[in-house]
Amino acid sequence: MRSIDEAFYFEVLFRELGVTVWYACDPMLNAGDLNAKMLKFSKYFPAEGSNVERITKSISGQTAALKEGRWTFNPKPGYRRGYEKGVPEPDPVRGPILKDILARIASRRLTPTTALKELNSSDFMKDHAPYKMDKFRKIIKDPFYAGILEIDKQIKVRNENGLHEPLITKEQHYFLVQIIEGKPKNQSGPRKNGNPKYPANNIAICDNCLDKRNGRFVGFDHTNGKTSKIYERYRCRSCGRYLTREEMHFGINQQFINNPITEDGRNDFIDALKIVWKQRKANSEQESSRIRHKITALGIAIERQIDELSDPSNTSFKERIKSSISKKENEISKLEEELENLHSREDDDWQKFLRFSFDFIDQMGTTFLEAKQENRLRCKQIMFPAGFFVNENKIVYTPEISPLITLLPIKKDAEASIKTHLVRVKRL
């Protein structure tokens, strides 16, 4: 606890838990009297100063190392830790491959797209996940590969004389930057709310790839290369197994159909809806009360202005007062109409509310696929905690169903049935 704020926080926290903090290194702090409290407070100041000193030394130490040409972070792709501290060395396998590809891009013998394909199919990616273009662009523009150390975060240093062995020259690096900045990005990145055309992206797992990293199905449009017809399919990212969009959506919807809400569940659901409706009705009553108060306030204001009309000193303002009274009367009539409509549509709204709720239950599978990505993932986690799986026969299933989806009561077994397994020996 090198921070004053943390020291007070943890002492209060432990006290609320009924735990006493005991200072073994300095028993004088455990006395609990005024002198002990003052001494304890005096200990916080050097601890906080030590904390600040550690932070300052860390930043200044890294800055000094970078200015010396040492790389104080993890080695970049294509490098490994060297024998000298802070000086990574080219990886014997990955280094030459990346060096050759960067050099050929700089000389315009390779386009970035072709280079990425070649890099992903080479030994550079052995035991590594393939790169996407957004990550590859960062590698191409990284000055580290030209022997330049550049950090622009909490530490801001640029040193063009790094001690590590560069893979390319500075001139090649400048050419690479020009090529990448002149090449527009064709990928917009992941959608914020997912792809509405393929709502089952990454929520169905391939049975054949359970022990692999990317064993999830993702949707995409593709053609056979001969015609312009588009095929809509889900494909496992690991084994490449296909499933049509209709098959995937039908299988997920079937999970909801196969596990309908029971009659008891519907009754419980109605009771829950009544609670929600009462809360909504309470809000409606608050709105009615607000309207009544406003009508009363307007009525009092009108009576006050009528009294002002009889005052001889207000002769020159009579027309303005009459106009103000007329506006208030019109406003009162509108509020009374609004209040009447508010009461008259309560029963109708309740029927609509029930009809909407049961339509939602009956079409829960369709609603699930049409929901926003955030709500869909939350719904999946609540209803199907284990997620969806696709077996080798392309059948979608789930190994675990939450009791919330059927609203089935979870009851303990009767005590009598437990005792049926007990045996009493005669005369004992």
Side-chain angles (χ1 to χ4, degrees):
M1 297 188 298
R2 293 180 174 272
S3 170
I4 295 176
D5 297 332
E6 290 178 359
F8 285 120
Y9 168 76
F10 282 112
E11 287 209 4
V12 172
L13 181 63
F14 284 135
R15 190 183 305 120
E16 290 177 351
L17 295 174
V19 178
T20 302
V21 179
W22 193 264
Y23 296 90
C25 61
D26 200 342
M28 293 179 63
L29 302 179
N30 303 319
D33 54 12
L34 184 61
N35 291 333
K37 291 180 180 179
M38 184 174 66
L39 183 61
K40 188 188 301 183
F41 189 80
S42 66
K43 297 282 186 180
Y44 292 152
F45 182 75
E48 181 77 21
S50 175
N51 192 34
V52 173
E53 184 181 3
R54 285 162 64 91
I55 296 172
T56 307
K57 281 186 175 180
S58 176
I59 294 175
S60 61
Q62 282 191 330
T63 304
L66 289 168
K67 288 181 178 180
E68 290 177 6
R70 301 182 185 278
W71 184 249
T72 59
F73 308 95
N74 290 328
K76 297 273 189 177
Y79 283 84
R80 67 179 185 182
R81 294 186 183 278
Y83 293 104
E84 188 178 351
K85 185 178 179 181
V87 183
E89 62 181 24
D91 186 273
V93 177
R94 306 183 78 202
I97 296 174
L98 183 59
K99 178 179 181 179
D100 177 62
I101 286 178
L102 292 177
R104 284 194 286 157
I105 296 175
S107 61
R108 298 188 182 275
R109 287 181 290 164
L110 277 180
T111 64
T113 304
T114 309
L116 177 60
K117 292 179 181 178
E118 183 176 326
L119 188 70
N120 284 335
S121 61
S122 67
D123 289 340
F124 185 88
M125 289 302 171
K126 188 177 181 180
D127 300 327
H128 291 79
Y131 284 162
K132 300 291 184 181
M133 180 53 77
D134 56 348
K135 186 172 183 178
F136 188 51
R137 288 168 66 97
K138 293 178 181 178
I139 291 177
I140 295 175
K141 293 175 61 177
D142 197 334
F144 181 86
Y145 297 103
I148 302 172
L149 305 182
E150 185 174 21
I151 296 292
D152 190 13
K153 295 181 180 179
Q154 190 177 13
I155 301 170
K156 296 185 179 182
V157 177
R158 179 180 173 88
N159 185 357
E160 299 197 3
N161 300 307
L163 297 179
H164 64 283
E165 179 185 341
L167 298 184
I168 57 176
T169 64
K170 291 183 176 62
E171 289 76 14
Q172 288 175 322
H173 167 66
Y174 297 139
F175 282 129
L176 289 172
V177 172
Q178 291 176 6
I179 291 170
I180 291 299
E181 289 182 349
K183 182 180 183 297
K185 293 182 68 174
N186 297 321
Q187 297 176 344
S188 58
R191 289 182 174 93
K192 185 177 181 180
N193 294 317
N195 188 347
K197 191 174 182 180
Y198 298 101
N201 274 344
N202 292 314
I203 66 173
I205 303 171
C206 180
D207 260 5
N208 299 335
C209 307
L210 294 177
D211 57 342
K212 297 182 180 178
R213 180 180 178 185
N214 296 317
R216 294 178 179 271
F217 283 88
V218 293
F220 71 107
D221 295 339
H222 74 97
T223 64
N224 58 10
K226 298 178 181 179
T227 65
S228 59
K229 182 180 178 180
I230 295 177
Y231 297 89
E232 300 170 347
R233 300 180 186 276
Y234 285 91
R235 181 180 64 184
C236 174
R237 296 181 63 188
S238 182
C239 67
R241 191 155 60 101
Y242 287 97
L243 203 68
T244 66
R245 180 174 177 270
E246 290 73 19
E247 289 173 332
M248 178 68 79
H249 292 182
F250 174 80
I252 292 176
N253 190 29
Q254 199 66 29
Q255 301 306 309
F256 290 90
I257 295 174
N258 293 342
N259 301 280
I261 293 180
T262 62
E263 190 62 32
D264 291 339
R266 281 180 174 264
N267 294 332
D268 291 341
F269 188 72
I270 291 174
D271 292 339
L273 287 177
K274 286 179 179 178
I275 295 173
V276 176
W277 181 254
K278 286 179 180 178
Q279 293 174 351
R280 181 173 175 177
K281 191 175 180 181
N283 295 335
S284 177
E285 290 175 353
Q286 288 180 358
E287 180 66 13
S288 300
S289 178
R290 184 191 66 82
I291 292 174
R292 290 193 196 94
H293 282 303
K294 194 168 184 179
I295 291 173
T296 303
L298 287 171
I300 294 172
I302 289 173
E303 290 178 1
R304 188 183 302 114
Q305 288 183 321
I306 290 174
D307 292 338
E308 291 175 355
L309 281 174
S310 59
D311 189 351
S313 62
N314 293 328
T315 304
S316 58
F317 301 105
K318 281 187 177 181
E319 294 302 323
R320 293 176 62 181
I321 293 173
K322 288 179 181 179
S323 176
S324 176
I325 292 173
S326 177
K327 287 180 180 179
K328 287 182 174 62
E329 288 176 343
N330 290 335
E331 189 174 354
I332 287 175
S333 62
K334 289 180 181 178
L335 289 172
E336 288 175 344
E337 184 179 354
E338 184 180 348
L339 187 63
E340 185 179 353
N341 292 335
L342 196 64
H343 289 299
S344 63
R345 69 170 184 257
E346 278 188 3
D347 294 335
D348 186 45
D349 284 351
W350 168 244
Q351 297 299 325
K352 288 180 180 178
F353 185 63
L354 281 179
R355 192 159 49 248
F356 164 77
S357 301
F358 285 113
D359 286 344
F360 179 85
I361 294 172
D362 295 335
Q363 302 176 10
M364 194 175 290
T366 304
T367 308
F368 172 78
L369 292 171
E370 292 176 352
K372 291 183 178 180
Q373 184 183 32
E374 182 181 357
N375 294 335
R376 182 165 53 251
L377 294 177
R378 188 183 294 114
C379 179
K380 179 192 75 70
Q381 188 65 27
I382 293 173
M383 295 183 171
F384 304 102
F388 301 104
F389 290 79
V390 180
N391 64 16
E392 56 186 8
N393 296 322
K394 296 185 177 181
I395 296 175
V396 181
Y397 71 96
T398 181
E400 182 183 357
I401 300 171
S402 170
L404 292 175
I405 191 173
T406 55
L407 296 178
L408 292 174
I410 303 174
K411 296 181 180 178
K412 293 183 178 180
D413 200 0
E415 187 176 356
S417 66
I418 298 174
K419 292 181 179 179
T420 58
H421 299 286
L422 299 178
V423 179
R424 183 167 184 241
V425 181
K426 191 175 182 180
R427 286 190 293 271
L428 285 181

